[in-house]
Amino acid sequence: MESLYIQFTNAKEREDFLCQLLGGDKEPLAIEAVETLKARSYWQDPKVYGDNWQNVTCTNFLRNKGVRFIKLLNSLEGKVGNWVVLSLDYKAKALRRKIFQLCKGHIHTSDEVSENCLLEQLQTAFLAEDLKETNETMLAIYRQNPWFFKNKENVNYGLKLAEMYLREGDLTKALGWYDFLIREDPDNPLVYLGLGSVYMMAGDIESSLDCFLEGLERNPGHDLLCYNSCLLLQGLGETDLAIEETVIALENNPESPLLHKLAGDLALNCTGMLEEALEHYKKAIFCINEEDSQELLIQLLNNYGLALAQNGETLIGEKVLLESLNIDDSREDTLLNLSAFYGFFLEDHDMAIDCAKKVLNINPDSGKAYHNLGLASLAKGDWEIARWYLYKAKKLLPKDYAPLNNALIDLQEKRPKS
């Protein structure tokens, strides 16, 4: 069994650790064992090492807890300090957990040199994107050092491997690693994001939502956990619950541009909440900074521009949408929004057609672009052209896409009389 080497800043801290580890002030034998250790500096299980510690009661007490030996050292390999050396057997699961709850020092193992070699192998395997080698090396490290993932920095290795499996579509392996990591680091929001994504890809929306919400409960105000939770709630028709979750998250993270955008999006889809949507979009723009993604800014400007147009502020709305286009003029969603904006709010059908055709240059199979072209052509009185565009859109868009179905009804009503 591997030995643990734990360093403390002073003798009092070391003694308090041992006392708490063995049962605390309410356990007289713990206090007695620590006092004896202080006087003798070590204890070894007589059955294993042939040692003779005269206090049989303390010996049985330590042996029953799964302790093989304890040593107190004032230096280790030239490092001066207050050291505890522990060796535990298979019965000491409770003690192992408690070590990491109590220990204020840094835990070492006697195989750190070989662990470093394995870490180098792990880095090489990650660079080569060799999933099998990465997985096997990670398991080898864990078998050698069961405390490896108690270090939060090392959890990132596990997350990286789980994400690799997720990208490869191996949901079983990804799920296995995320389940393991959530036991090792139950408050890590990235683990809940990954695990929820696995369930989502597997089509288990209920488990995905439960996972995101549990992660959010442990990490109040976490924007991505809240965002994912609310998108699922909205998809399930629980928009009111999504709004409540966003309000709670914003109380804990009031400067998050993503949360304000989310709150604006939810309000924009609710009747009578346009002012709330605009207020949240304004706050999001005020909070956003260079560290936030360009993707977030573009989506925010798109939605804010359309909300302004709905509020009758068409000139400002146009400027906001064009600002989004200036950031990336090849964005299909921005051009579609501009096409709809010009056609519906400004009734500039030529501009609507121009923006929609730019979309087709980027994506020739954009059903929404053909839909917008059909609407603009119908508004201009080009019925035959409108029919061609709308029926082309029908082949590309889902059958239940309501805006297109409404446009086809309008098309039939405006059919020229022969």
XYZ file of all heavy atoms in Angstrom, residues 202-299:
751
model
N -27.477 12.136 -25.845
C -28.124 10.826 -25.800
C -29.643 10.935 -25.891
O -30.336 9.917 -25.929
C -27.731 10.102 -24.516
N -30.159 12.178 -25.918
C -31.593 12.378 -26.016
C -32.330 12.317 -24.698
O -33.566 12.328 -24.670
N -31.591 12.263 -23.579
C -32.208 12.209 -22.251
C -32.283 13.636 -21.698
O -31.456 14.063 -20.886
C -31.377 11.308 -21.333
C -32.056 11.033 -19.999
O -33.041 11.718 -19.691
O -31.591 10.132 -19.271
N -33.301 14.364 -22.145
C -33.425 15.778 -21.784
C -33.660 15.955 -20.290
O -33.131 16.890 -19.670
C -34.562 16.444 -22.592
C -34.310 16.314 -24.101
C -34.708 17.908 -22.216
C -33.005 16.921 -24.557
N -34.441 15.058 -19.704
C -34.751 15.180 -18.270
C -33.484 15.074 -17.425
O -33.254 15.884 -16.526
C -35.753 14.106 -17.867
C -36.181 14.214 -16.409
C -37.224 13.181 -16.030
O -37.743 12.497 -16.938
O -37.515 13.045 -14.818
N -32.659 14.066 -17.712
C -31.407 13.911 -16.952
C -30.451 15.069 -17.212
O -29.744 15.521 -16.306
C -30.721 12.586 -17.328
O -31.506 11.486 -16.934
N -30.434 15.543 -18.449
C -29.585 16.684 -18.790
C -29.988 17.909 -17.985
O -29.148 18.596 -17.402
C -29.686 16.978 -20.291
O -28.879 18.080 -20.633
N -31.293 18.177 -17.931
C -31.782 19.328 -17.183
C -31.479 19.180 -15.696
O -31.026 20.135 -15.042
C -33.290 19.489 -17.403
C -33.980 20.634 -16.654
C -33.350 21.972 -17.029
C -35.471 20.641 -16.942
N -31.703 17.983 -15.146
C -31.407 17.749 -13.724
C -29.932 18.014 -13.423
O -29.589 18.586 -12.382
C -31.756 16.308 -13.341
C -33.256 16.067 -13.281
O -34.003 17.057 -13.221
O -33.672 14.895 -13.314
N -29.070 17.595 -14.346
C -27.631 17.767 -14.156
C -27.251 19.251 -14.169
O -26.515 19.723 -13.300
C -26.888 17.020 -15.253
S -25.124 16.907 -14.961
N -27.761 19.996 -15.146
C -27.465 21.427 -15.224
C -27.983 22.157 -13.978
O -27.300 23.020 -13.424
C -28.096 22.040 -16.473
C -27.439 21.613 -17.762
C -28.203 21.391 -18.908
C -26.069 21.439 -17.854
C -27.603 21.005 -20.101
C -25.456 21.052 -19.035
C -26.237 20.830 -20.160
N -29.194 21.804 -13.539
C -29.784 22.491 -12.384
C -29.034 22.159 -11.095
O -28.865 23.020 -10.231
C -31.259 22.117 -12.251
C -32.195 22.714 -13.307
C -33.604 22.166 -13.147
C -32.221 24.239 -13.226
N -28.580 20.890 -10.954
C -27.800 20.538 -9.773
C -26.477 21.304 -9.752
O -26.044 21.813 -8.719
C -27.522 19.038 -9.737
C -26.781 18.606 -8.477
C -26.469 17.126 -8.433
O -26.997 16.372 -9.272
O -25.694 16.721 -7.547
N -25.844 21.400 -10.932
C -24.610 22.167 -11.018
C -24.836 23.635 -10.690
O -24.012 24.274 -10.026
N -25.978 24.162 -11.126
C -26.303 25.569 -10.861
C -26.572 25.792 -9.381
O -26.210 26.839 -8.824
C -27.517 25.974 -11.697
C -27.911 27.453 -11.681
C -26.776 28.322 -12.195
C -29.162 27.668 -12.520
N -27.197 24.803 -8.736
C -27.453 24.918 -7.296
C -26.146 24.962 -6.507
O -26.024 25.685 -5.518
C -28.301 23.730 -6.833
C -28.722 23.815 -5.381
C -29.642 22.678 -4.977
O -30.121 21.952 -5.872
O -29.871 22.516 -3.759
N -25.156 24.191 -6.965
C -23.851 24.185 -6.297
C -22.995 25.381 -6.687
O -22.042 25.725 -5.979
C -23.097 22.891 -6.636
C -23.683 21.642 -5.989
C -22.984 20.390 -6.487
N -23.437 19.194 -5.818
C -22.916 18.685 -4.708
N -21.896 19.300 -4.127
N -23.384 17.592 -4.160
N -23.325 26.003 -7.837
C -22.553 27.152 -8.333
C -23.508 28.271 -8.722
O -23.704 28.559 -9.909
C -21.702 26.740 -9.544
C -20.713 25.634 -9.237
O -19.606 25.895 -8.809
N -21.126 24.388 -9.456
N -24.147 28.910 -7.728
C -25.148 29.946 -8.027
C -24.575 31.061 -8.896
O -23.479 31.552 -8.649
C -25.517 30.486 -6.636
C -25.159 29.387 -5.693
C -23.950 28.717 -6.286
N -25.317 31.402 -9.946
C -24.890 32.483 -10.828
C -24.000 32.042 -11.963
O -23.597 32.883 -12.781
N -23.689 30.747 -12.070
C -22.832 30.287 -13.167
C -23.586 30.462 -14.477
O -24.644 29.863 -14.693
C -22.430 28.831 -12.963
C -21.330 28.393 -13.875
N -21.552 28.020 -15.181
C -19.982 28.295 -13.684
C -20.402 27.690 -15.747
N -19.429 27.850 -14.861
N -23.032 31.282 -15.380
C -23.804 31.690 -16.553
C -24.092 30.545 -17.529
O -25.228 30.413 -18.013
C -23.123 32.867 -17.278
C -21.639 32.678 -17.473
O -21.146 31.553 -17.286
O -20.958 33.668 -17.817
N -23.097 29.698 -17.813
C -23.328 28.633 -18.793
C -24.296 27.572 -18.261
O -25.132 27.063 -19.018
C -22.000 27.980 -19.186
C -21.097 28.817 -20.091
C -19.773 28.111 -20.316
C -21.772 29.096 -21.431
N -24.204 27.236 -16.975
C -25.151 26.287 -16.400
C -26.562 26.857 -16.435
O -27.521 26.141 -16.757
C -24.750 25.942 -14.966
C -23.571 24.979 -14.820
C -23.107 24.927 -13.366
C -23.933 23.582 -15.308
N -26.699 28.126 -16.122
C -28.015 28.766 -16.169
C -28.524 28.834 -17.609
O -29.697 28.544 -17.882
C -27.934 30.165 -15.571
S -29.531 31.018 -15.528
N -27.643 29.199 -18.528
C -28.028 29.322 -19.940
C -28.548 27.986 -20.468
O -29.623 27.916 -21.086
C -26.819 29.786 -20.750
C -27.126 30.190 -22.170
C -27.612 31.460 -22.448
C -26.936 29.306 -23.224
C -27.894 31.846 -23.743
C -27.227 29.681 -24.531
C -27.701 30.956 -24.779
O -27.997 31.321 -26.074
N -27.798 26.911 -20.221
C -28.215 25.595 -20.711
C -29.512 25.137 -20.054
O -30.395 24.580 -20.714
C -27.116 24.566 -20.457
C -25.917 24.768 -21.365
O -25.903 25.660 -22.204
N -24.905 23.947 -21.208
N -29.626 25.369 -18.750
C -30.848 24.981 -18.038
C -32.064 25.695 -18.609
O -33.107 25.078 -18.858
C -30.723 25.306 -16.547
O -29.631 24.660 -15.957
N -31.919 26.983 -18.830
C -33.061 27.781 -19.277
C -33.451 27.479 -20.722
O -34.634 27.526 -21.072
C -32.761 29.271 -19.107
S -32.693 29.757 -17.369
N -32.483 27.159 -21.557
C -32.820 26.769 -22.924
C -33.651 25.482 -22.917
O -34.619 25.352 -23.679
C -31.555 26.579 -23.755
C -30.799 27.845 -24.165
C -29.624 27.472 -25.065
C -31.699 28.837 -24.888
N -33.282 24.534 -22.057
C -34.049 23.297 -21.963
C -35.431 23.550 -21.374
O -36.429 22.994 -21.854
C -33.295 22.269 -21.116
C -32.007 21.698 -21.725
C -31.375 20.689 -20.770
C -32.278 21.039 -23.061
N -35.496 24.375 -20.326
C -36.793 24.703 -19.732
C -37.707 25.387 -20.753
O -38.892 25.055 -20.852
C -36.598 25.617 -18.521
C -36.060 24.946 -17.252
C -35.674 25.992 -16.217
C -37.083 23.979 -16.676
N -37.142 26.307 -21.517
C -37.927 26.997 -22.535
C -38.426 26.002 -23.595
O -39.579 26.061 -24.034
C -37.096 28.094 -23.194
C -37.889 28.995 -24.136
C -37.011 30.055 -24.767
O -35.831 29.831 -25.001
N -37.579 31.218 -25.024
N -37.548 25.071 -23.990
C -37.944 24.068 -24.968
C -39.042 23.152 -24.464
O -39.828 22.615 -25.255
N -39.115 22.977 -23.135
C -40.164 22.157 -22.534
C -41.421 22.956 -22.235
O -42.379 22.423 -21.651
C -39.642 21.517 -21.235
C -38.504 20.496 -21.401
C -37.917 20.131 -20.043
C -39.003 19.251 -22.122
N -41.427 24.227 -22.638
C -42.592 25.074 -22.404
C -42.641 25.690 -21.026
O -43.667 26.254 -20.636
N -41.540 25.607 -20.274
C -41.488 26.148 -18.911
C -40.740 27.484 -18.906
O -39.769 27.672 -18.166
C -40.801 25.146 -17.971
C -41.476 23.797 -17.887
C -42.771 23.867 -17.086
O -43.058 24.935 -16.506
O -43.484 22.855 -17.054
N -41.225 28.420 -19.712
C -40.537 29.714 -19.821
C -40.542 30.475 -18.507
O -39.555 31.137 -18.155
C -41.184 30.567 -20.924
O -41.145 29.840 -22.157
C -40.454 31.886 -21.106
N -41.655 30.386 -17.753
C -41.723 31.096 -16.462
C -40.643 30.587 -15.505
O -40.005 31.378 -14.795
C -43.110 30.915 -15.831
C -44.185 31.686 -16.577
O -43.824 32.595 -17.347
O -45.374 31.372 -16.400
N -40.439 29.269 -15.470
C -39.392 28.710 -14.617
C -38.009 29.154 -15.090
O -37.119 29.421 -14.279
C -39.468 27.186 -14.606
C -40.598 26.549 -13.798
C -40.581 25.031 -13.962
C -40.481 26.917 -12.329
N -37.842 29.222 -16.424
C -36.564 29.677 -16.974
C -36.280 31.114 -16.537
O -35.149 31.457 -16.171
C -36.584 29.572 -18.491
N -37.302 31.951 -16.572
C -37.136 33.352 -16.150
C -36.763 33.411 -14.670
O -35.886 34.191 -14.263
C -38.421 34.155 -16.433
C -38.615 34.307 -17.952
C -38.362 35.523 -15.768
C -39.921 34.951 -18.355
N -37.413 32.574 -13.837
C -37.100 32.555 -12.403
C -35.645 32.159 -12.162
O -34.952 32.770 -11.338
C -38.027 31.566 -11.688
C -39.472 32.038 -11.581
C -40.347 31.000 -10.903
O -39.792 30.079 -10.265
O -41.575 31.108 -11.022
N -35.186 31.129 -12.877
C -33.793 30.698 -12.721
C -32.828 31.805 -13.122
O -31.777 31.996 -12.497
C -33.528 29.442 -13.562
C -34.194 28.184 -13.054
C -33.624 27.706 -11.729
O -32.513 28.120 -11.371
O -34.311 26.926 -11.048
N -33.177 32.544 -14.177
C -32.304 33.626 -14.639
C -32.247 34.763 -13.629
O -31.179 35.339 -13.387
C -32.801 34.157 -15.999
O -32.975 33.073 -16.898
C -31.808 35.139 -16.597
N -33.388 35.067 -13.031
C -33.429 36.126 -12.011
C -32.525 35.763 -10.838
O -31.737 36.581 -10.353
C -34.881 36.356 -11.526
C -34.902 37.256 -10.295
C -35.718 36.978 -12.641
N -32.613 34.498 -10.384
C -31.784 34.039 -9.261
C -30.304 34.091 -9.633
O -29.455 34.526 -8.852
C -32.185 32.606 -8.856
C -33.607 32.598 -8.301
C -31.212 32.047 -7.823
C -34.180 31.214 -8.096
N -29.993 33.633 -10.853
C -28.595 33.641 -11.296
C -28.045 35.059 -11.370
O -26.885 35.313 -11.007
C -28.474 32.953 -12.650
N -28.855 36.000 -11.842
C -28.407 37.391 -11.951
C -28.186 38.024 -10.578
O -27.352 38.917 -10.437
C -29.418 38.209 -12.755
C -29.281 38.118 -14.271
C -30.484 38.738 -14.974
C -27.999 38.789 -14.740
N -28.912 37.562 -9.575
C -28.680 38.071 -8.218
C -27.277 37.696 -7.747
O -26.648 38.439 -6.998
C -29.729 37.507 -7.265
C -31.127 38.095 -7.474
C -32.177 37.424 -6.609
O -31.824 36.433 -5.915
O -33.336 37.860 -6.634
N -26.801 36.533 -8.172
C -25.466 36.072 -7.784
C -24.381 36.532 -8.745
O -23.206 36.556 -8.382
C -25.457 34.539 -7.716
C -26.241 34.001 -6.542
O -25.756 33.982 -5.423
N -27.472 33.584 -6.794
N -24.763 36.859 -9.969
C -23.781 37.239 -10.991
C -24.346 38.385 -11.835
O -24.635 38.210 -13.023
C -23.454 36.016 -11.857
C -22.267 36.240 -12.770
O -21.630 37.291 -12.744
N -21.961 35.266 -13.603
N -24.521 39.570 -11.219
C -25.228 40.674 -11.884
C -24.483 41.315 -13.049
O -25.076 42.091 -13.801
C -25.437 41.691 -10.754
C -24.324 41.408 -9.791
C -24.094 39.928 -9.855
N -23.194 41.010 -13.221
C -22.415 41.636 -14.288
C -22.199 40.696 -15.474
O -21.371 40.979 -16.333
C -21.053 42.084 -13.746
C -21.137 43.064 -12.585
C -21.870 44.342 -12.962
O -21.620 44.863 -14.071
O -22.704 44.803 -12.159
N -22.941 39.605 -15.528
C -22.748 38.636 -16.609
C -23.495 39.066 -17.869
O -24.734 39.105 -17.880
C -23.247 37.252 -16.186
O -23.319 36.386 -17.305
N -22.784 39.364 -18.973
C -23.480 39.717 -20.213
C -24.288 38.551 -20.780
O -25.356 38.757 -21.360
C -22.345 40.122 -21.164
C -21.115 39.504 -20.604
C -21.321 39.439 -19.131
N -23.796 37.323 -20.575
C -24.535 36.161 -21.079
C -25.873 36.012 -20.361
O -26.901 35.730 -21.003
C -23.699 34.886 -20.904
C -24.350 33.589 -21.396
C -24.637 33.662 -22.890
C -23.476 32.389 -21.082
N -25.887 36.212 -19.040
C -27.132 36.089 -18.293
C -28.116 37.199 -18.660
O -29.322 36.969 -18.756
C -26.850 36.100 -16.789
C -26.198 34.840 -16.226
C -25.943 35.000 -14.736
C -27.057 33.614 -16.488
N -27.607 38.410 -18.866
C -28.501 39.506 -19.273
C -29.045 39.255 -20.682
O -30.215 39.549 -20.965
C -27.770 40.844 -19.206
C -27.697 41.421 -17.830
N -28.822 41.804 -17.133
C -26.637 41.652 -17.009
C -28.464 42.272 -15.947
N -27.151 42.187 -15.845
N -28.216 38.710 -21.570
C -28.715 38.362 -22.907
C -29.793 37.294 -22.805
O -30.839 37.365 -23.459
C -27.580 37.868 -23.796
C -28.065 37.413 -25.188
C -26.997 36.687 -25.954
C -27.562 36.103 -27.236
N -28.562 35.036 -27.010
N -29.534 36.281 -21.968
C -30.511 35.213 -21.768
C -31.827 35.779 -21.239
O -32.908 35.426 -21.743
C -29.951 34.186 -20.783
C -30.900 33.086 -20.322
C -31.345 32.225 -21.497
C -30.231 32.221 -19.252
N -31.738 36.656 -20.242
C -32.944 37.271 -19.690
C -33.679 38.084 -20.762
O -34.913 38.071 -20.838
C -32.586 38.161 -18.501
N -32.923 38.794 -21.609
C -33.532 39.550 -22.700
C -34.212 38.641 -23.710
O -35.330 38.920 -24.167
N -33.563 37.527 -24.058
C -34.148 36.591 -25.026
C -35.446 35.997 -24.499
O -36.433 35.868 -25.242
C -33.160 35.458 -25.332
C -31.925 35.940 -26.070
O -31.946 37.075 -26.582
O -30.933 35.185 -26.118
N -35.448 35.616 -23.207
C -36.654 35.033 -22.621
C -37.791 36.055 -22.581
O -38.943 35.739 -22.886
C -36.353 34.521 -21.214
C -35.415 33.312 -21.125
C -34.999 33.059 -19.679
C -36.068 32.073 -21.707
N -37.445 37.282 -22.205
C -38.475 38.333 -22.146
C -39.001 38.666 -23.539
O -40.198 38.931 -23.716
C -37.900 39.580 -21.480
N -38.114 38.659 -24.540
C -38.521 39.005 -25.908
C -39.550 38.019 -26.446
O -40.400 38.385 -27.272
C -37.292 39.020 -26.814
C -37.466 39.610 -28.223
C -37.886 41.079 -28.151
C -36.178 39.466 -29.016
N -39.496 36.783 -25.979
C -40.437 35.762 -26.441
C -41.718 35.718 -25.626
O -42.561 34.844 -25.856
C -39.766 34.383 -26.408
C -38.710 34.235 -27.490
O -38.909 34.668 -28.615
N -37.566 33.660 -27.144
N -41.848 36.626 -24.651
C -43.060 36.681 -23.828
C -43.852 37.943 -24.167
O -43.278 39.025 -24.340
C -42.699 36.697 -22.341
S -41.934 35.168 -21.770
N -45.129 37.814 -24.249
C -45.996 38.957 -24.562
C -45.933 39.988 -23.442
O -46.024 39.645 -22.261
C -47.453 38.483 -24.750
O -47.482 37.477 -25.758
C -48.347 39.643 -25.156
N -45.775 41.247 -23.830
C -45.811 42.337 -22.865
C -44.532 42.540 -22.090
O -44.523 43.287 -21.097
N -43.429 41.926 -22.501
C -42.174 42.064 -21.751
C -41.073 42.679 -22.607
O -39.893 42.475 -22.355
C -41.720 40.708 -21.211
C -42.653 40.104 -20.178
S -41.987 38.585 -19.417
C -40.574 39.226 -18.518
N -41.466 43.463 -23.630
C -40.482 44.051 -24.532
C -39.558 45.025 -23.797
O -38.344 45.050 -24.045
C -41.181 44.753 -25.695
C -40.279 45.392 -26.760
C -39.329 44.362 -27.356
C -41.122 46.045 -27.846
N -40.111 45.830 -22.886
C -39.279 46.792 -22.148
C -38.222 46.077 -21.299
O -37.076 46.517 -21.224
C -40.158 47.674 -21.261
C -41.009 48.679 -22.042
C -41.735 49.648 -21.115
O -41.450 49.623 -19.893
O -42.569 50.412 -21.618
N -38.642 44.968 -20.664
C -37.688 44.190 -19.867
C -36.582 43.626 -20.755
O -35.402 43.631 -20.384
C -38.398 43.041 -19.146
C -39.281 43.479 -17.989
C -40.702 43.787 -18.428
O -40.900 44.069 -19.636
O -41.598 43.749 -17.567
N -36.975 43.164 -21.944
C -35.977 42.621 -22.876
C -34.959 43.687 -23.257
O -33.738 43.447 -23.233
C -36.667 42.078 -24.120
N -35.442 44.866 -23.597
C -34.544 45.953 -23.989
C -33.609 46.348 -22.859
O -32.419 46.620 -23.089
C -35.373 47.162 -24.439
C -36.073 47.026 -25.792
C -37.090 48.149 -25.980
C -35.052 47.043 -26.923
N -34.136 46.365 -21.638
C -33.315 46.746 -20.489
C -32.182 45.748 -20.275
O -31.036 46.129 -20.028
C -34.195 46.829 -19.238
C -33.466 47.347 -17.996
C -32.968 48.779 -18.162
O -33.580 49.543 -18.934
O -31.961 49.118 -17.509
N -32.500 44.464 -20.397
C -31.470 43.451 -20.217
C -30.430 43.500 -21.345
O -29.237 43.330 -21.101
C -32.094 42.065 -20.134
C -32.673 41.744 -18.798
N -31.906 41.637 -17.654
C -33.960 41.522 -18.407
C -32.674 41.346 -16.630
N -33.928 41.268 -17.039
N -30.867 43.737 -22.572
C -29.924 43.831 -23.686
C -28.973 45.017 -23.492
O -27.771 44.924 -23.754
C -30.664 43.975 -25.013
C -31.338 42.709 -25.488
C -32.564 42.752 -26.142
C -30.751 41.465 -25.299
C -33.192 41.601 -26.587
C -31.371 40.306 -25.739
C -32.594 40.376 -26.375
O -33.203 39.230 -26.819
N -29.511 46.135 -22.997
C -28.664 47.311 -22.736
C -27.615 46.985 -21.667
O -26.439 47.345 -21.803
C -29.529 48.488 -22.271
C -30.383 49.117 -23.363
C -31.247 50.228 -22.772
C -32.195 50.800 -23.819
N -33.109 51.824 -23.242
N -28.047 46.306 -20.594
C -27.111 45.945 -19.529
C -26.051 44.979 -20.039
O -24.882 45.068 -19.658
C -27.874 45.323 -18.355
C -28.690 46.336 -17.556
C -29.400 45.673 -16.389
C -30.194 46.700 -15.576
N -30.946 46.061 -14.457
N -26.474 44.061 -20.912
C -25.515 43.095 -21.461
C -24.432 43.805 -22.259
O -23.242 43.482 -22.145
C -26.246 42.088 -22.342
N -24.820 44.769 -23.070
C -23.845 45.520 -23.866
C -22.926 46.336 -22.969
O -21.721 46.454 -23.215
C -24.580 46.431 -24.878
C -25.190 45.567 -25.985
C -23.632 47.465 -25.478
C -26.010 46.324 -26.992
N -23.473 46.862 -21.882
C -22.666 47.643 -20.947
C -21.650 46.742 -20.224
O -20.521 47.157 -19.960
C -23.579 48.323 -19.921
C -22.841 49.123 -18.890
C -22.327 50.378 -19.187
C -22.642 48.611 -17.608
C -21.636 51.108 -18.238
C -21.947 49.334 -16.649
C -21.452 50.593 -16.972
N -22.051 45.479 -19.929
C -21.194 44.570 -19.163
C -20.155 43.846 -20.017
O -19.151 43.372 -19.487
C -22.052 43.514 -18.450
S -23.101 44.172 -17.129
N -20.404 43.744 -21.311
C -19.525 42.915 -22.142
C -18.143 43.557 -22.251
O -18.000 44.788 -22.237
C -20.149 42.713 -23.544
C -19.641 41.413 -24.180
C -19.884 43.888 -24.462
C -20.489 40.925 -25.326
N -17.115 42.726 -22.312
C -15.749 43.244 -22.406
C -14.943 42.400 -23.381
O -15.463 41.466 -23.999
C -15.086 43.266 -21.022
C -15.099 41.904 -20.345
O -14.661 40.915 -20.936
N -15.603 41.845 -19.118
N -13.674 42.727 -23.511
C -12.834 42.073 -24.508
C -12.641 40.592 -24.237
O -12.339 39.823 -25.152
C -11.462 42.768 -24.570
C -11.527 44.189 -25.113
C -10.167 44.842 -25.157
O -9.199 44.199 -24.696
O -10.066 45.981 -25.641
N -12.800 40.184 -22.980
C -12.606 38.774 -22.651
C -13.775 37.907 -23.110
O -13.636 36.696 -23.246
C -12.405 38.621 -21.141
C -11.131 39.301 -20.627
C -10.988 39.173 -19.131
O -11.892 38.568 -18.500
O -9.990 39.677 -18.593
N -14.921 38.514 -23.326
C -16.084 37.754 -23.778
C -15.942 37.444 -25.264
O -15.280 38.161 -26.013
C -17.371 38.546 -23.519
C -17.664 38.704 -22.040
O -17.796 37.669 -21.363
O -17.745 39.859 -21.570
N -16.609 36.389 -25.694
C -16.442 35.914 -27.064
C -17.115 36.850 -28.061
O -18.122 37.505 -27.758
C -17.019 34.510 -27.215
O -18.424 34.536 -27.110
N -16.556 36.874 -29.263
C -17.150 37.636 -30.362
C -18.523 37.065 -30.717
O -19.434 37.813 -31.088
C -16.224 37.582 -31.580
C -16.725 38.371 -32.778
C -15.707 38.403 -33.899
O -14.736 39.126 -33.849
N -15.924 37.590 -34.916
N -18.674 35.764 -30.568
C -19.949 35.106 -30.852
C -21.055 35.681 -29.978
O -22.166 35.958 -30.457
C -19.812 33.603 -30.616
C -21.081 32.803 -30.782
C -21.575 32.718 -32.217
O -20.752 32.941 -33.135
O -22.770 32.454 -32.417
N -20.771 35.858 -28.698
C -21.763 36.412 -27.782
C -22.154 37.819 -28.202
O -23.340 38.176 -28.215
C -21.215 36.417 -26.353
C -22.092 37.111 -25.298
C -23.448 36.438 -25.198
C -21.384 37.104 -23.940
N -21.167 38.648 -28.567
C -21.446 40.024 -28.964
C -22.321 40.068 -30.215
O -23.278 40.844 -30.285
C -20.132 40.771 -29.207
C -20.258 42.217 -29.703
C -21.058 43.062 -28.717
C -18.882 42.827 -29.944
N -22.014 39.238 -31.197
C -22.798 39.239 -32.443
C -24.237 38.816 -32.170
O -25.189 39.464 -32.655
C -22.139 38.303 -33.478
C -20.814 38.912 -33.962
C -23.064 38.055 -34.658
C -20.006 37.998 -34.857
N -24.420 37.758 -31.406
C -25.781 37.308 -31.088
C -26.541 38.373 -30.311
O -27.740 38.603 -30.553
C -25.730 36.014 -30.283
C -25.263 34.808 -31.072
C -25.325 33.535 -30.245
O -25.893 33.515 -29.157
N -24.733 32.479 -30.754
